[in-house]
Amino acid sequence: MYQAYRPAIGRFAAEHQRFGGPFSLERMSWIKPNFLWMMYRSGWGTKEGQEVTLAVRLRRDAFNKVLAEAIHSTHVPEVYGEHKAWEQLGKRSDVRLQWDPDHGPSGDKQERRAIQLGLRGAAIASYASEWIVEIEDISAFVAEQRRVWFEGDREALVTPREEVYPVADPAVAAKLGIDLA
């Protein structure tokens, strides 16, 4: 997952390998498994309050739980049926999901979609300390690649290798609108 924070939050998390200090458990926090989507969102680490980019590795069982508990941010009738049913699920769920256009290095929208997951309540509390395998501050890498893309040889751009996540549960795959692994 990728997240971008102000320095006090990002540096605390990288140093302590958990979220704490100035990190708030009282608000929703969005995690993004797509590097270039995060670069679009954070302006390659240049937007105020998003200067520290973190790569957060989660336990697989935790990420599967997040996907299973996720409720779309907008009503999807073929998944939830009646609008009222979706509203009730949304009130009880601590995980939101959104499919957004993915973005290229320049911020241009791509045909493929990128998921982002909002965590609150019990989900953000578990994420902040229990589910984390590793937190790495990749801000220097982001700055280097930002220079390569915007000022240098674009052919030399390096981004993390990403693969489609294998969702094995048919009900979760159907809810997400993706093919089974």
Side-chain angles (χ1 to χ4, degrees), residues 4 37-47 50 142 146 150:
W37 200 100
M38 185 73 256
M39 294 307 96
Y40 164 75
R41 178 69 174 87
S42 71
W44 284 87
T46 63
K47 289 185 180 177
Q50 298 183 49
V142 168
R146 178 179 65 240
F150 292 104

Side-chain angles (χ1 to χ4, degrees), residues 155-166:
E155 296 296 318
L157 179 71
V158 176
T159 61
R161 188 183 89 210
E162 298 174 344
E163 298 174 9
V164 174
Y165 186 78

